[in-house]
Amino acid sequence: MSAKTPSNAAVAELIQKYEANITNRSRRVARIELSKWTTEEVKGVMDQLVPRTKRKGSDEPCGPEFNHLNTSLKSTLMIQFGIWSILSFGTIFLLPMQVGAALYLLLHGRLSAIWRELPKPTALLFDWSTGLHAFVKAPMSLVKKSIEREEALCVNRKGKFMLRKHGYAVLSHVWGETMGWNTEHSWGPVELGLRKRGLAYHHFLKFFRRCDAEWLWVDVLAMPAAYEDMSTTEKANIETLQTSIINCLHAVYSRADKVVCLDGLLLRLQSGSMVDVAVILSLGRWINRLWPFTETKLAKRVILKTEDAAFDLDEIITFLYETVNNEDHRYFHIFARLAPLRPVPLGFRIWLDYLARPGTSEPDLFREIYSGCENRLCDVEIDQARALFPVLGLKWIAGWTLQEGLHHIADAYPDDKELLLKYCHYRSIQHEIQ
């Protein structure tokens, strides 16, 4: 270590001053991705983060606004009174202007504009006011039809659903950031009654404002949820539907125009630097979750959203590749962390020989999976195998255990059993493959 380079502990401690609950991630990134960075260089990046807004519950940029559904008569009446008050006063305010505009258009013979254009402000006001307490949830009939047709069940800004094979984007996020709720003593999902209603409309709009798409595929809407109060039979039926949708994910991800990453830490970054984006992405939760690897590996494009901009992941990887000239370069470990997330072009073989099949320059999918899934976690045990199935082009069977899923991978890819065992060993999975 040079005199210029601080200890890993100093860099990790610095990072922790800018974000809570980042101890483990900061230590790992300080030890590897930022091992050749000075504290001044790291501070220069961290200073670009907008301070987190402190509020009760979720203080994430795309988190929910409330945790429970107040169904009391008093609360319901107050909400309805508030909505209709806004609508009534807004209509009264707009009416004189609309009447004046109607007279002007009538005098100039533009009759069609009177019934086509004049009602629009009132309609927009109605949509906005009623949306204050509206929820978005996919009809079960469309969920089943999306499975039958192997199409993406997408939603537009107005909360309308449609099956699509093209012309849509996929939302990639961490459920703990976008759907979770913090209390003084614990963390968990929002209350059951609220989850059953779907996504609150104003919460739903937080996704749309950042994704720049007419149609969006959102996993929490396209995939039915199993609730705590369901019977065993009901949960089994939901698992069957979930499995069928998972088996369609290769098509859903690969057909999408783009996958949009909404990482909570990255959404606080105000910077035009690709390096700054790469550093903050390495520190975020998104890159430490297993399912985002599958989404990005199959995507045509991956867009990383910051507080005030959007970056193409491929362009960032290419920039780092062209900047790095050897493995001692301070960007090398950041580049090595990001590169396996995307299909690696042959031109990148110079620095990524560890992703090629031994003795060749051909890409090796299993090596890319092993490297790309490093330090990625999941909350459901079977997802350690199931999340790989869309990338590998395999079909999961409802009711399978983790071991059964791994055996299926081994049978489908017999030449890669050694790497599969290495993957299991890294993840502390006790698994024996004949």
Side-chain angles (χ1 to χ4, degrees), residues 112-177:
S112 62
I114 294 177
W115 61 78
R116 287 181 180 177
E117 302 298 329
L118 285 186
K120 284 186 177 180
T122 305
L124 290 171
L125 175 65
F126 181 83
D127 289 343
W128 177 81
S129 58
T130 54
L132 291 174
H133 198 60
F135 291 82
V136 180
K137 186 173 184 178
M140 186 58 73
S141 59
L142 276 181
V143 172
K144 294 178 179 178
K145 193 171 290 185
S146 71
I147 296 169
E148 295 171 4
R149 298 184 181 180
E150 294 190 5
E151 295 179 358
L153 178 53
C154 301
V155 63
N156 66 9
R157 181 180 289 268
K158 294 182 178 181
K160 305 299 182 183
F161 288 86
M162 176 184 286
L163 299 180
R164 301 185 68 85
K165 284 189 175 181
H166 53 79
Y168 64 93
V170 167
L171 171 67
S172 181
H173 60 125
V174 178
W175 285 28
E177 293 181 339

Side-chain angles (χ1 to χ4, degrees), residues 59-163:
D59 54 7
E60 294 289 344
C62 288
E65 297 288 344
F66 50 88
N67 181 38
H68 67 280
L69 188 64
N70 194 335
T71 56
S72 67
L73 178 61
K74 180 180 178 180
S75 175
T76 303
L77 290 175
M78 288 182 63
I79 290 171
Q80 294 299 326
F81 177 77
I83 291 173
W84 285 107
S85 296
I86 293 172
L87 184 58
S88 300
F89 283 114
T91 302
I92 293 171
F93 177 77
L94 290 171
L95 185 60
M97 292 183 284
Q98 289 175 310
V99 171
L103 291 174
Y104 176 85
L105 293 171
L106 183 62
L107 289 174
H108 288 78
R110 298 174 60 183
L111 300 179
S112 62
I114 294 177
W115 61 78
R116 287 181 180 177
E117 302 298 329
L118 285 186
K120 284 186 177 180
T122 305
L124 290 171
L125 175 65
F126 181 83
D127 289 343
W128 177 81
S129 58
T130 54
L132 291 174
H133 198 60
F135 291 82
V136 180
K137 186 173 184 178
M140 186 58 73
S141 59
L142 276 181
V143 172
K144 294 178 179 178
K145 193 171 290 185
S146 71
I147 296 169
E148 295 171 4
R149 298 184 181 180
E150 294 190 5
E151 295 179 358
L153 178 53
C154 301
V155 63
N156 66 9
R157 181 180 289 268
K158 294 182 178 181
K160 305 299 182 183
F161 288 86
M162 176 184 286
L163 299 180

Side-chain angles (χ1 to χ4, degrees), residues 381-398:
E381 184 186 45
I382 61 174
D383 280 347
Q384 296 185 90
R386 188 168 60 176
L388 306 182
F389 271 53
V391 178
L392 297 171
L394 303 177
K395 300 294 184 183
W396 187 268
I397 302 297

Side-chain angles (χ1 to χ4, degrees), residues 2-3 26 29 50-51 54 84 112 159 181 191 197-198 221 234 267 322 347 376 406 416:
S2 67
S26 66
V29 173
V50 176
K54 296 296 182 182
W84 285 107
S112 62
W181 190 264
E191 289 184 359
R197 296 286 294 272
L221 294 175
E234 288 174 325
L267 286 172
E322 293 174 347
R376 287 181 175 268
L406 292 170
D416 294 295

Side-chain angles (χ1 to χ4, degrees), residues 296-308:
T296 56
K297 197 66 176 177
L298 294 173
K300 294 176 183 176
R301 297 174 64 210
V302 178
I303 303 300
L304 308 173
K305 293 294 292 186
T306 63
E307 203 273 342
D308 57 355

